Amino acid sequence: MKNKYPLLFTLGLSLVISNNVFAQTKQFGKPSGKPFAIAIHGGAGTIDKSRFSEEQEAAYRAKLKEAVEAGYAVLEAGGESLDAVTTAINVLEDSPFFNAGKGAVYTYDEEHELDASIMDGRDRQAGAIAGVKHIKNPINLARKVMTDSVHVLLSGEGAEDFAKRQGFDLIDNHYFDTPHRFEALKEAKQKLDAKKAGTKSYQAAHQILPSQYKMGTVGAVALDQSGNLAAGTSTGGMTAKRFGRIGDSPVIGAGTFADNRSCAVSATGHGEFFIRYSVASDICARVQYQNKSITQAGNEVIHDVLAPIGGTGGVIIVDTKGNISMPFNTKGMYRASKSSRQESYVGIFKND
């Protein structure tokens, strides 16, 4: 039977098709509805507001926001938590503000030795490097150790040999030189030398150093839309460190931990305490085995376990539901977070 209204039929069919296409396009562009989140830190310590000019504080906050937004963009686009973590940490590593990558502190011998680690919550695969001197972005090499080697932790010249075989360019150690870090080294050595005049004990001399010389790290934790957690940490270590000292940042379970059954943690603080008390894995164990929230577990470890014994620092935590907690027991911690249900938050001082 011949259609009496061919024009109306054509218009109607076009409208139906266009509406279907529009509906499909809107559906394709919608978020999955599953939670996703990221938190970052740029180190905890004696961060006194009086020592910042308005311009300096604004610059630090802007860099933290840049890093968390970069990582969040990966998650929002449906990317993996591992990619979000490395993306955010790269922003912090490339900044002279933080003790990692470009902003790494000096060793006693006026060099820079960098550490990093990363962990995948899906299967607890992990990669770490320690004591490298010529790697611009240590977190990227740590991830390569995880994905392209049979090991978890590589150190020193061996790690850099592996890096060359994986196509990494080695850079001059002076790339990490910054005036403010060199001034901090000179101050630390003066304090050490003054103490050594009255004692032959390196340990006793080192214990008198204020806490700001013993910490400083960057890190990120993330939950992606597939429900996978990841954590990463990168650092230049401790100012005036000697003898190849390695802190908690490249130690899985101390400075970094992620498990889809509990949470993801990146730590910052006095590394020796975080190693001895397995801080990152302890928090996740309390979540998994004692059914505690990340807020409760994190506060217990940071305030009840570490603080009484002089373990200064903090952690960032994200769980499988996209909840975020960032406890610390110092005057401040450079930190930021964002999730599918929370706008960007940036903090530096305790009352932020």
Side-chain angles (χ1 to χ4, degrees):
M1 179 179 176
K2 192 172 180 180
N3 185 1
K4 295 182 179 179
Y5 307 100
L7 181 58
L8 290 175
F9 177 81
T10 302
L11 289 172
L13 182 60
S14 299
L15 184 60
V16 170
I17 292 173
S18 64
N19 283 341
N20 284 341
V21 170
F22 179 68
Q24 290 171 6
T25 303
K26 285 182 68 179
Q27 186 64 34
F28 179 79
K30 281 183 179 179
S32 65
K34 295 181 179 179
F36 54 98
I38 184 168
I40 66 165
H41 71 77
T46 309
I47 305 171
D48 194 334
K49 189 176 178 66
S50 64
R51 297 171 59 185
F52 286 79
S53 68
E54 289 185 8
E55 293 77 12
Q56 287 173 324
E57 181 179 338
Y60 273 85
R61 290 183 183 275
K63 186 58 65 174
L64 291 167
K65 191 173 193 306
E66 178 188 345
V68 79
E69 291 288 356
Y72 184 82
V74 173
L75 300 173
E76 189 176 38
E80 291 191 352
S81 53
L82 285 168
D83 292 328
V85 163
T86 53
T87 297
I89 291 178
N90 283 165
V91 173
L92 300 174
E93 286 178 331
D94 291 341
S95 168
F97 293 163
F98 309 104
N99 180 14
K102 177 59 182 172
V105 298
Y106 284 81
T107 67
Y108 189 90
D109 296 322
E110 301 183 3
E111 292 186 313
H112 309 272
E113 297 174 356
L114 298 93
D115 314 322
S117 65
I118 193 167
M119 190 167 186
D120 187 341
R122 287 174 292 196
D123 50 12
R124 290 174 66 153
Q125 289 293 307
I129 56 166
V132 298
K133 298 181 179 181
H134 305 98
I135 303 298
K136 182 181 179 183
N137 294 106
I139 195 65
N140 296 350
L141 182 56
R143 184 170 180 180
K144 206 68 174 175
V145 172
M146 178 179 70
T147 59
D148 287 61
S149 83
V150 296
H151 307 296
V152 171
L153 174 59
L154 300 180
S155 66
E157 293 181 359
E160 294 189 346
D161 182 31
F162 173 76
K164 287 188 289 186
R165 294 168 187 263
Q166 296 298 318
F168 282 74
D169 293 326
L170 302 191
I171 62 172
D172 192 292
N173 193 251
H174 289 298
Y175 163 79
F176 304 107
D177 291 353
T178 53
H180 66 291
R181 298 296 189 198
F182 191 64
E183 287 301 314
L185 174 66
K186 290 194 295 185
E187 292 172 5
K189 291 177 76 169
Q190 286 173 358
K191 293 179 184 297
L192 287 170
D193 292 342
K195 183 65 176 179
K196 280 192 296 184
T199 177
K200 297 295 183 182
S201 170
Y202 169 76
Q203 183 178 12
H206 196 273
Q207 285 174 344
I208 61 95
L209 279 179
S211 60
Q212 68 260 32
Y213 298 108
K214 300 177 182 178
M215 60 182 69
T217 318
V218 306
V221 293
L223 170 73
D224 63 31
Q225 295 188 47
S226 297
N228 295 317
L229 294 165
T233 312
S234 181
T235 188
M238 182 183 289
T239 301
K241 63 184 178 181
R242 303 179 75 178
F243 314 123
R245 181 264 185 185
I246 296 169
D248 64 305
S249 294
V251 179
I252 300 302
T256 302
F257 194 78
D259 190 328
N260 280 4
R261 295 172 296 178
S262 55
C263 59
V265 178
S266 174
T268 172
H270 192 159
E272 279 69 15
F273 290 93
F274 282 67
I275 293 171
R276 285 158 47 202
Y277 285 83
S278 302
V279 166
S281 61
D282 184 12
I283 291 170
C284 290
R286 292 167 189 252
V287 172
Q288 183 176 353
Y289 300 119
Q290 298 179 349
N291 295 316
K292 292 180 177 177
S293 69
I294 57 172
T295 299
Q296 184 178 3
N299 283 334
E300 286 179 355
V301 173
I302 295 301
H303 297 293
D304 300 339
V305 175
L306 289 179
I309 58 166
T312 51
V315 292
I316 52 173
I317 320 166
V318 65
D319 67 14
T320 56
K321 297 178 182 178
N323 297 312
I324 296 168
S325 184
M326 299 184 285
F328 55 96
N329 59 26
T330 54
K331 284 189 175 181
M333 182 170 75
Y334 300 108
R335 60 202 186 275
S337 64
K338 188 173 185 178
S339 76
S340 52
R341 56 176 182 262
Q342 174 214 300
E343 290 300 315
S344 293
Y345 162 81
V346 176
I348 297 178
F349 312 109
K350 188 175 287 289
N351 295 325
D352 281 343

PDB file of all heavy atoms in Angstrom, residues 277 282 286 292 295-311 327-329:
ATOM      1  N   TYR A 277      57.303  -0.488  61.713  1.00  0.00           N
ATOM      2  CA  TYR A 277      55.920  -0.750  62.083  1.00  0.00           C
ATOM      3  C   TYR A 277      55.037  -1.095  60.884  1.00  0.00           C
ATOM      4  O   TYR A 277      53.816  -1.149  61.015  1.00  0.00           O
ATOM      5  CB  TYR A 277      55.354   0.445  62.860  1.00  0.00           C
ATOM      6  CG  TYR A 277      55.878   0.485  64.280  1.00  0.00           C
ATOM      7  CD1 TYR A 277      57.115   1.058  64.557  1.00  0.00           C
ATOM      8  CD2 TYR A 277      55.172  -0.100  65.323  1.00  0.00           C
ATOM      9  CE1 TYR A 277      57.627   1.071  65.847  1.00  0.00           C
ATOM     10  CE2 TYR A 277      55.670  -0.095  66.622  1.00  0.00           C
ATOM     11  CZ  TYR A 277      56.902   0.492  66.875  1.00  0.00           C
ATOM     12  OH  TYR A 277      57.409   0.497  68.156  1.00  0.00           O
ATOM     13  N   ASP A 282      49.833  -2.362  57.696  1.00  0.00           N
ATOM     14  CA  ASP A 282      49.104  -2.457  58.964  1.00  0.00           C
ATOM     15  C   ASP A 282      47.741  -1.794  58.842  1.00  0.00           C
ATOM     16  O   ASP A 282      46.725  -2.338  59.304  1.00  0.00           O
ATOM     17  CB  ASP A 282      49.920  -1.804  60.080  1.00  0.00           C
ATOM     18  CG  ASP A 282      49.271  -1.961  61.454  1.00  0.00           C
ATOM     19  OD1 ASP A 282      48.321  -2.752  61.585  1.00  0.00           O
ATOM     20  OD2 ASP A 282      49.712  -1.281  62.402  1.00  0.00           O
ATOM     21  N   ARG A 286      44.094  -3.781  59.187  1.00  0.00           N
ATOM     22  CA  ARG A 286      43.023  -3.424  60.121  1.00  0.00           C
ATOM     23  C   ARG A 286      41.690  -3.275  59.395  1.00  0.00           C
ATOM     24  O   ARG A 286      40.629  -3.612  59.936  1.00  0.00           O
ATOM     25  CB  ARG A 286      43.377  -2.128  60.856  1.00  0.00           C
ATOM     26  CG  ARG A 286      44.547  -2.273  61.825  1.00  0.00           C
ATOM     27  CD  ARG A 286      45.072  -0.920  62.302  1.00  0.00           C
ATOM     28  NE  ARG A 286      46.310  -1.071  63.045  1.00  0.00           N
ATOM     29  CZ  ARG A 286      46.424  -0.922  64.373  1.00  0.00           C
ATOM     30  NH1 ARG A 286      45.361  -0.592  65.091  1.00  0.00           N
ATOM     31  NH2 ARG A 286      47.586  -1.089  64.965  1.00  0.00           N
ATOM     32  N   LYS A 292      37.514  -2.373  60.060  1.00  0.00           N
ATOM     33  CA  LYS A 292      37.541  -0.975  60.443  1.00  0.00           C
ATOM     34  C   LYS A 292      37.496  -0.090  59.209  1.00  0.00           C
ATOM     35  O   LYS A 292      37.922  -0.499  58.125  1.00  0.00           O
ATOM     36  CB  LYS A 292      38.799  -0.676  61.258  1.00  0.00           C
ATOM     37  CG  LYS A 292      38.797  -1.357  62.620  1.00  0.00           C
ATOM     38  CD  LYS A 292      40.043  -1.066  63.422  1.00  0.00           C
ATOM     39  CE  LYS A 292      39.940  -1.712  64.804  1.00  0.00           C
ATOM     40  NZ  LYS A 292      41.164  -1.504  65.607  1.00  0.00           N
ATOM     41  N   THR A 295      39.333   5.555  57.978  1.00  0.00           N
ATOM     42  CA  THR A 295      39.542   6.665  58.908  1.00  0.00           C
ATOM     43  C   THR A 295      39.984   6.144  60.267  1.00  0.00           C
ATOM     44  O   THR A 295      40.960   6.638  60.861  1.00  0.00           O
ATOM     45  CB  THR A 295      38.265   7.503  59.055  1.00  0.00           C
ATOM     46  OG1 THR A 295      37.923   8.046  57.780  1.00  0.00           O
ATOM     47  CG2 THR A 295      38.461   8.644  60.048  1.00  0.00           C
ATOM     48  N   GLN A 296      39.297   5.138  60.756  1.00  0.00           N
ATOM     49  CA  GLN A 296      39.643   4.571  62.059  1.00  0.00           C
ATOM     50  C   GLN A 296      41.009   3.900  62.019  1.00  0.00           C
ATOM     51  O   GLN A 296      41.847   4.121  62.899  1.00  0.00           O
ATOM     52  CB  GLN A 296      38.579   3.562  62.491  1.00  0.00           C
ATOM     53  CG  GLN A 296      38.812   2.995  63.895  1.00  0.00           C
ATOM     54  CD  GLN A 296      37.727   2.023  64.324  1.00  0.00           C
ATOM     55  OE1 GLN A 296      36.814   1.709  63.563  1.00  0.00           O
ATOM     56  NE2 GLN A 296      37.816   1.540  65.556  1.00  0.00           N
ATOM     57  N   ALA A 297      41.243   3.092  60.991  1.00  0.00           N
ATOM     58  CA  ALA A 297      42.516   2.372  60.887  1.00  0.00           C
ATOM     59  C   ALA A 297      43.686   3.338  60.753  1.00  0.00           C
ATOM     60  O   ALA A 297      44.731   3.163  61.387  1.00  0.00           O
ATOM     61  CB  ALA A 297      42.467   1.416  59.703  1.00  0.00           C
ATOM     62  N   GLY A 298      43.529   4.353  59.917  1.00  0.00           N
ATOM     63  CA  GLY A 298      44.593   5.314  59.711  1.00  0.00           C
ATOM     64  C   GLY A 298      44.904   6.108  60.968  1.00  0.00           C
ATOM     65  O   GLY A 298      46.075   6.306  61.324  1.00  0.00           O
ATOM     66  N   ASN A 299      43.866   6.551  61.667  1.00  0.00           N
ATOM     67  CA  ASN A 299      44.078   7.313  62.899  1.00  0.00           C
ATOM     68  C   ASN A 299      44.754   6.471  63.975  1.00  0.00           C
ATOM     69  O   ASN A 299      45.616   6.965  64.715  1.00  0.00           O
ATOM     70  CB  ASN A 299      42.742   7.853  63.420  1.00  0.00           C
ATOM     71  CG  ASN A 299      42.252   9.057  62.634  1.00  0.00           C
ATOM     72  OD1 ASN A 299      43.049   9.787  62.043  1.00  0.00           O
ATOM     73  ND2 ASN A 299      40.946   9.266  62.617  1.00  0.00           N
ATOM     74  N   GLU A 300      44.367   5.209  64.063  1.00  0.00           N
ATOM     75  CA  GLU A 300      44.978   4.332  65.059  1.00  0.00           C
ATOM     76  C   GLU A 300      46.485   4.208  64.831  1.00  0.00           C
ATOM     77  O   GLU A 300      47.280   4.316  65.773  1.00  0.00           O
ATOM     78  CB  GLU A 300      44.329   2.950  65.020  1.00  0.00           C
ATOM     79  CG  GLU A 300      42.937   2.893  65.622  1.00  0.00           C
ATOM     80  CD  GLU A 300      42.316   1.515  65.532  1.00  0.00           C
ATOM     81  OE1 GLU A 300      42.932   0.618  64.914  1.00  0.00           O
ATOM     82  OE2 GLU A 300      41.216   1.331  66.078  1.00  0.00           O
ATOM     83  N   VAL A 301      46.876   3.966  63.597  1.00  0.00           N
ATOM     84  CA  VAL A 301      48.285   3.743  63.311  1.00  0.00           C
ATOM     85  C   VAL A 301      49.089   5.038  63.423  1.00  0.00           C
ATOM     86  O   VAL A 301      50.171   5.069  64.023  1.00  0.00           O
ATOM     87  CB  VAL A 301      48.462   3.107  61.916  1.00  0.00           C
ATOM     88  CG1 VAL A 301      49.942   3.021  61.539  1.00  0.00           C
ATOM     89  CG2 VAL A 301      47.831   1.718  61.894  1.00  0.00           C
ATOM     90  N   ILE A 302      48.578   6.119  62.862  1.00  0.00           N
ATOM     91  CA  ILE A 302      49.322   7.382  62.858  1.00  0.00           C
ATOM     92  C   ILE A 302      49.378   8.026  64.240  1.00  0.00           C
ATOM     93  O   ILE A 302      50.430   8.518  64.672  1.00  0.00           O
ATOM     94  CB  ILE A 302      48.712   8.364  61.834  1.00  0.00           C
ATOM     95  CG1 ILE A 302      48.875   7.809  60.406  1.00  0.00           C
ATOM     96  CG2 ILE A 302      49.366   9.738  61.948  1.00  0.00           C
ATOM     97  CD1 ILE A 302      50.312   7.557  59.981  1.00  0.00           C
ATOM     98  N   HIS A 303      48.261   8.009  64.957  1.00  0.00           N
ATOM     99  CA  HIS A 303      48.194   8.725  66.233  1.00  0.00           C
ATOM    100  C   HIS A 303      48.450   7.836  67.456  1.00  0.00           C
ATOM    101  O   HIS A 303      49.034   8.303  68.442  1.00  0.00           O
ATOM    102  CB  HIS A 303      46.836   9.418  66.371  1.00  0.00           C
ATOM    103  CG  HIS A 303      46.579  10.458  65.340  1.00  0.00           C
ATOM    104  ND1 HIS A 303      47.293  11.641  65.275  1.00  0.00           N
ATOM    105  CD2 HIS A 303      45.699  10.498  64.292  1.00  0.00           C
ATOM    106  CE1 HIS A 303      46.860  12.372  64.264  1.00  0.00           C
ATOM    107  NE2 HIS A 303      45.897  11.699  63.647  1.00  0.00           N
ATOM    108  N   ASP A 304      48.003   6.591  67.411  1.00  0.00           N
ATOM    109  CA  ASP A 304      48.119   5.728  68.589  1.00  0.00           C
ATOM    110  C   ASP A 304      49.350   4.837  68.565  1.00  0.00           C
ATOM    111  O   ASP A 304      49.872   4.476  69.621  1.00  0.00           O
ATOM    112  CB  ASP A 304      46.867   4.848  68.720  1.00  0.00           C
ATOM    113  CG  ASP A 304      45.592   5.659  68.866  1.00  0.00           C
ATOM    114  OD1 ASP A 304      45.694   6.842  69.264  1.00  0.00           O
ATOM    115  OD2 ASP A 304      44.507   5.131  68.568  1.00  0.00           O
ATOM    116  N   VAL A 305      49.808   4.451  67.384  1.00  0.00           N
ATOM    117  CA  VAL A 305      50.981   3.584  67.277  1.00  0.00           C
ATOM    118  C   VAL A 305      52.257   4.399  67.087  1.00  0.00           C
ATOM    119  O   VAL A 305      53.232   4.249  67.835  1.00  0.00           O
ATOM    120  CB  VAL A 305      50.821   2.567  66.119  1.00  0.00           C
ATOM    121  CG1 VAL A 305      52.089   1.746  65.943  1.00  0.00           C
ATOM    122  CG2 VAL A 305      49.629   1.656  66.377  1.00  0.00           C
ATOM    123  N   LEU A 306      52.267   5.280  66.088  1.00  0.00           N
ATOM    124  CA  LEU A 306      53.493   6.006  65.741  1.00  0.00           C
ATOM    125  C   LEU A 306      53.791   7.191  66.653  1.00  0.00           C
ATOM    126  O   LEU A 306      54.926   7.364  67.115  1.00  0.00           O
ATOM    127  CB  LEU A 306      53.420   6.487  64.290  1.00  0.00           C
ATOM    128  CG  LEU A 306      53.526   5.430  63.197  1.00  0.00           C
ATOM    129  CD1 LEU A 306      53.406   6.085  61.830  1.00  0.00           C
ATOM    130  CD2 LEU A 306      54.841   4.669  63.302  1.00  0.00           C
ATOM    131  N   ALA A 307      52.815   8.036  66.893  1.00  0.00           N
ATOM    132  CA  ALA A 307      53.064   9.275  67.638  1.00  0.00           C
ATOM    133  C   ALA A 307      53.710   9.052  69.002  1.00  0.00           C
ATOM    134  O   ALA A 307      54.661   9.757  69.356  1.00  0.00           O
ATOM    135  CB  ALA A 307      51.767  10.076  67.768  1.00  0.00           C
ATOM    136  N   PRO A 308      53.256   8.076  69.803  1.00  0.00           N
ATOM    137  CA  PRO A 308      53.853   7.899  71.132  1.00  0.00           C
ATOM    138  C   PRO A 308      55.329   7.497  71.112  1.00  0.00           C
ATOM    139  O   PRO A 308      56.044   7.717  72.099  1.00  0.00           O
ATOM    140  CB  PRO A 308      53.004   6.777  71.756  1.00  0.00           C
ATOM    141  CG  PRO A 308      51.707   6.835  71.028  1.00  0.00           C
ATOM    142  CD  PRO A 308      52.078   7.205  69.628  1.00  0.00           C
ATOM    143  N   ILE A 309      55.804   6.930  70.008  1.00  0.00           N
ATOM    144  CA  ILE A 309      57.203   6.499  69.944  1.00  0.00           C
ATOM    145  C   ILE A 309      58.059   7.453  69.107  1.00  0.00           C
ATOM    146  O   ILE A 309      59.211   7.156  68.796  1.00  0.00           O
ATOM    147  CB  ILE A 309      57.313   5.068  69.374  1.00  0.00           C
ATOM    148  CG1 ILE A 309      56.682   4.996  67.973  1.00  0.00           C
ATOM    149  CG2 ILE A 309      56.666   4.063  70.307  1.00  0.00           C
ATOM    150  CD1 ILE A 309      57.037   3.749  67.211  1.00  0.00           C
ATOM    151  N   GLY A 310      57.489   8.598  68.721  1.00  0.00           N
ATOM    152  CA  GLY A 310      58.242   9.583  67.956  1.00  0.00           C
ATOM    153  C   GLY A 310      58.197   9.391  66.461  1.00  0.00           C
ATOM    154  O   GLY A 310      58.968  10.020  65.724  1.00  0.00           O
ATOM    155  N   GLY A 311      57.290   8.559  65.987  1.00  0.00           N
ATOM    156  CA  GLY A 311      57.162   8.315  64.543  1.00  0.00           C
ATOM    157  C   GLY A 311      56.311   9.383  63.893  1.00  0.00           C
ATOM    158  O   GLY A 311      55.076   9.280  63.853  1.00  0.00           O
ATOM    159  N   PRO A 327      45.209  11.166  57.381  1.00  0.00           N
ATOM    160  CA  PRO A 327      45.655  11.548  58.728  1.00  0.00           C
ATOM    161  C   PRO A 327      47.154  11.824  58.799  1.00  0.00           C
ATOM    162  O   PRO A 327      47.947  11.234  58.069  1.00  0.00           O
ATOM    163  CB  PRO A 327      45.307  10.303  59.553  1.00  0.00           C
ATOM    164  CG  PRO A 327      45.452   9.169  58.587  1.00  0.00           C
ATOM    165  CD  PRO A 327      44.949   9.717  57.272  1.00  0.00           C
ATOM    166  N   PHE A 328      47.547  12.730  59.690  1.00  0.00           N
ATOM    167  CA  PHE A 328      48.966  13.008  59.924  1.00  0.00           C
ATOM    168  C   PHE A 328      49.134  13.538  61.340  1.00  0.00           C
ATOM    169  O   PHE A 328      48.186  14.073  61.930  1.00  0.00           O
ATOM    170  CB  PHE A 328      49.520  14.008  58.900  1.00  0.00           C
ATOM    171  CG  PHE A 328      48.765  15.304  58.803  1.00  0.00           C
ATOM    172  CD1 PHE A 328      49.189  16.437  59.499  1.00  0.00           C
ATOM    173  CD2 PHE A 328      47.628  15.419  58.008  1.00  0.00           C
ATOM    174  CE1 PHE A 328      48.503  17.639  59.409  1.00  0.00           C
ATOM    175  CE2 PHE A 328      46.924  16.616  57.912  1.00  0.00           C
ATOM    176  CZ  PHE A 328      47.366  17.735  58.613  1.00  0.00           C
ATOM    177  N   ASN A 329      50.323  13.360  61.916  1.00  0.00           N
ATOM    178  CA  ASN A 329      50.569  13.791  63.289  1.00  0.00           C
ATOM    179  C   ASN A 329      51.631  14.886  63.372  1.00  0.00           C
ATOM    180  O   ASN A 329      52.271  15.070  64.407  1.00  0.00           O
ATOM    181  CB  ASN A 329      50.945  12.597  64.184  1.00  0.00           C
ATOM    182  CG  ASN A 329      52.195  11.874  63.700  1.00  0.00           C
ATOM    183  OD1 ASN A 329      53.048  12.461  63.034  1.00  0.00           O
ATOM    184  ND2 ASN A 329      52.304  10.594  64.020  1.00  0.00           N
TER     185      ASN A 329
END
